[in-house]
Amino acid sequence: MGTPLPRDPIADAQRNWERHGWGDVAAPMAAITAIMRTQQILLARIETVLKPFGLTFARYELLALLSFARSGALPMNKASALLQVHPTSVTNAVDRLEKAALVARSPHPTDGRTTLIELTAEGRTIAKKATAALNSEVFGKSGFGDDDVDHLIRVLGAFRRDAGDFTEE
Amino acid sequence: MGTPLPRDPIADAQRNWERHGWGDVAAPMAAITAIMRTQQILLARIETVLKPFGLTFARYELLALLSFARSGALPMNKASALLQVHPTSVTNAVDRLEKAALVARSPHPTDGRTTLIELTAEGRTIAKKATAALNSEVFGKSGFGDDDVDHLIRVLGAFRRDAGDFTEE
DNA sequence: GCAATATACTAGGACATCCAAGGGTTTGGA
DNA sequence: TCCAAACCCTTGGATGTCCTAGTATATTGC
């Protein structure tokens, strides 16, 4: 946080790994560490853009997901699966979004265990505005070249598939 | 969390973006979302490997950093800068590592504002063992091909530089 | 049909991250 | 010299993530 470092700390770490005889895994270590740090930077940008809307990334993701659902509503367990987060994280996000009147809980018509989450009118409006802001301020200014974007999607997609996120494609 | 999805949720999101007329930023959105999810998967793997050592990734990073320091000690603000996290996060990590007797705080010899963090003998031992475990269980099995690793390092390195992480190189 | 198993959500706890503020130490300009 | 500004660390608060249990509802199998 703060001023730029004179040198890339991850490149330094990679050199340290090599110097200690772990040259065979130094590069993957550096790549993985770079992914962790890049995520941190991107998350900070996203949170900055969402803050004026009273949203965090976790809450925005849920809103965006709901806004694309055919019926406009989803069971919590479905949201948990699609967002790939723990069910309790969804409960947490829904609690806060409900308090902000952006979503509403309703009982599932046939399964008493299930709770449906539904966008309110205001939730839909906020979702649309927040998406527009993210598109113009973050996704539209990622700094990645088109080729790099394609490469990232392909490589990370294969990684996620191998990790068990999904099966097809 | 749990069973694989039948389809890639990020690819679905990308299609939704395109369907709503945001085709110009759909690909970067997908790439960024993939980075977020990949980080989540990698972090989970890392935490699993570190758990037997009583470490989290944040604490491990600090131990590893100290183990490469010439003097074996670093000021907290230096650690904060190199790890690229908020100073309070370092305070938090040091508190817990100190409680586990893996590091020790000591006053800076000439600057009364600064606190030095130093590895204990046990801290050094644990750091070495944890590094070996991560090397064999995570970095050595990343699933990324050599070319992909090089590409990630290069592309994410440029991104981090542009984001202001560091200057040279 | 009823008990055993499985599923869905929530409550409580451990950790991590950041921000805002506060108290102590140094530095630097008037 | 001396006080304001800058710097360093810690505390307290808000969020998010996960895990472990616990409660309620469904489904399955005998």
Side-chain angles (χ1 to χ4, degrees):
Chain A
M1 327 260 64
T3 44
L5 294 166
R7 299 188 313 154
D8 179 359
I10 295 179
D12 282 350
Q14 184 173 355
R15 278 187 282 270
N16 279 330
W17 244 248
E18 289 163 352
R19 192 158 51 75
H20 281 257
W22 308 315
D24 51 332
V25 296
M29 181 283 296
I32 287 172
T33 305
I35 290 170
M36 311 294 278
R37 173 59 186 156
T38 300
Q39 185 268 352
Q40 192 180 15
I41 294 168
L42 288 168
L43 181 59
R45 288 186 188 176
I46 290 170
E47 299 276 11
T48 298
V49 172
L50 292 178
K51 189 164 201 132
F53 299 99
L55 292 176
T56 62
F57 187 46
R59 297 178 214 168
Y60 167 75
E61 279 195 295
L62 188 50
L63 284 190
L65 184 63
L66 291 173
S67 73
F68 288 123
R70 298 282 175 203
S71 62
L74 279 178
M76 297 194 56
N77 66 330
K78 199 82 175 177
S80 169
L82 291 172
L83 296 177
Q84 322 242 214
V85 295
H86 199 278
T88 54
S89 296
V90 176
T91 295
N92 185 323
V94 171
D95 283 349
R96 300 173 193 280
L97 286 171
E98 194 172 35
K99 201 166 297 178
L102 302 182
V103 306
R105 281 181 166 94
S106 65
H108 190 287
T110 65
D111 189 333
R113 299 168 299 182
T114 301
T115 299
L116 293 176
I117 334 166
E118 190 172 9
L119 274 182
T120 64
E122 187 183 353
R124 191 172 294 278
T125 301
I126 294 285
K128 202 173 275 286
K129 289 182 180 172
T131 297
L134 284 180
N135 281 342
S136 81
E137 298 305 317
V138 180
F139 304 141
K141 299 177 182 173
S142 71
F144 294 124
D146 289 349
D147 291 347
D148 295 335
V149 165
D150 290 344
H151 192 271
L152 285 170
I153 290 175
R154 190 159 36 75
V155 171
L156 300 182
F159 175 86
R160 292 183 297 113
R161 182 167 37 64
D162 293 348
D165 267 14
F166 57 95
T167 54
E168 314 252 338
E169 304 182 62
Chain B
M1 326 259 47
T3 45
L5 294 166
R7 300 190 311 157
D8 179 359
I10 295 180
D12 281 351
Q14 185 173 355
R15 277 187 282 270
N16 279 329
W17 244 248
E18 290 163 351
R19 192 157 52 74
H20 281 258
W22 308 317
D24 51 331
V25 296
M29 180 282 297
I32 287 172
T33 306
I35 290 171
M36 311 293 279
R37 174 59 186 156
T38 300
Q39 185 267 352
Q40 191 181 16
I41 294 168
L42 288 168
L43 181 59
R45 287 186 188 176
I46 291 171
E47 299 276 12
T48 298
V49 171
L50 292 178
K51 190 164 201 134
F53 299 99
L55 292 176
T56 62
F57 187 47
R59 296 177 216 168
Y60 167 77
E61 280 195 296
L62 187 50
L63 284 190
L65 184 63
L66 291 172
S67 73
F68 288 122
R70 299 280 174 204
S71 62
L74 279 178
M76 297 196 56
N77 65 331
K78 198 85 175 173
S80 169
L82 291 172
L83 296 177
Q84 322 242 217
V85 294
H86 199 278
T88 55
S89 296
V90 176
T91 296
N92 185 323
V94 172
D95 283 349
R96 299 172 194 281
L97 287 171
E98 194 172 37
K99 202 166 296 179
L102 302 183
V103 307
R105 279 181 168 94
S106 66
H108 190 286
T110 65
D111 190 333
R113 297 168 299 181
T114 301
T115 298
L116 293 176
I117 334 166
E118 191 172 8
L119 274 183
T120 64
E122 187 183 353
R124 192 172 292 279
T125 302
I126 295 284
K128 204 174 274 286
K129 289 181 180 174
T131 297
L134 283 180
N135 281 342
S136 80
E137 299 305 318
V138 180
F139 303 141
K141 299 177 181 174
S142 71
F144 294 125
D146 289 348
D147 290 347
D148 294 335
V149 165
D150 292 342
H151 192 272
L152 285 170
I153 290 174
R154 189 158 37 74
V155 171
L156 300 183
F159 175 86
R160 292 182 297 111
R161 180 169 37 64
D162 293 347
D165 268 13
F166 57 96
T167 53
E168 314 252 337
E169 305 183 63

